């Protein structure tokens, strides 16, 4: 698992090619707040990058967060049953059978 920061509470300006490369070379993204999920959705839509999400799994800290991503064509959107990092980590490990 590697970490790539694509967004913060305030969008950071990335070159569109950076976004494309990050999305093409990763298989999962974790979302920790509905605000960031909304911002991510806006940036993906604005830059017409949704086609790059079809091979990416979204892991969300809560069902509320996953609801914010339903318009995006992720391969899968999974929510942690309990809104804490330990539960999210278990969700990821179980999904990938780690």
């Amino acid at each position: 698992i590697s970490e790539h920061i694509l967004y913060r509470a305030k969008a950071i300006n990335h070159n569109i090619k950076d976004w494309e490369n990050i999305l093409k070379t990763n298989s999962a993204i974790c979302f920790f707040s509905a605000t960031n999920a909304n911002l991510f959705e806006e940036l993906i839509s604005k830059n017409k990058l949704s086609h790059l999400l079809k091979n990416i799994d979204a892991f969300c800290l809560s069902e509320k967060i996953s609801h914010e991503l339903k318009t995006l064509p992720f391969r899968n959107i999974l929510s942690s049953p309990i809104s804490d990092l330990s539960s999210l980590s278990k969700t990821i490990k179980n999904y990938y059978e780690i």
Side-chain angles (χ1 to χ4, degrees):
I1 298 175
S2 63
E3 178 182 351
H4 297 280
I5 298 173
L6 297 177
Y7 58 89
R8 297 188 191 280
K10 178 180 176 186
I12 55 178
N13 291 323
H14 273 289
N15 179 311
I16 193 70
K17 290 293 180 195
D18 291 340
W19 277 73
E20 289 175 353
N21 289 334
I22 290 168
L23 293 172
K24 286 177 183 176
T25 59
N26 288 278
S27 61
I29 301 174
C30 292
F31 294 90
F32 299 96
S33 78
T35 301
N36 285 354
N38 274 324
L39 184 55
F40 181 83
E41 189 276 330
E42 289 174 19
L43 292 171
I44 290 294
S45 298
K46 176 183 172 184
N47 291 294
K48 298 180 177 24
L49 297 174
S50 62
H51 65 283
L52 297 175
L53 301 177
K54 66 182 179 186
N55 294 317
I56 297 176
D57 299 309
F59 291 95
C60 303
L61 193 60
S62 71
E63 185 63 38
K64 178 183 176 186
I65 297 167
S66 66
H67 179 74
E68 301 298 327
L69 299 172
K70 295 292 184 193
T71 61
L72 295 175
F74 283 104
R75 178 173 45 201
N76 292 295
I77 300 174
L78 297 107
S79 299
S80 173
I82 301 170
S83 296
D84 65 26
L85 292 179
S86 177
S87 181
L88 181 60
S89 179
K90 287 178 187 174
T91 300
I92 294 167
K93 289 176 181 178
N94 289 340
Y95 181 77
Y96 290 115
E97 299 177 350
I98 298 173

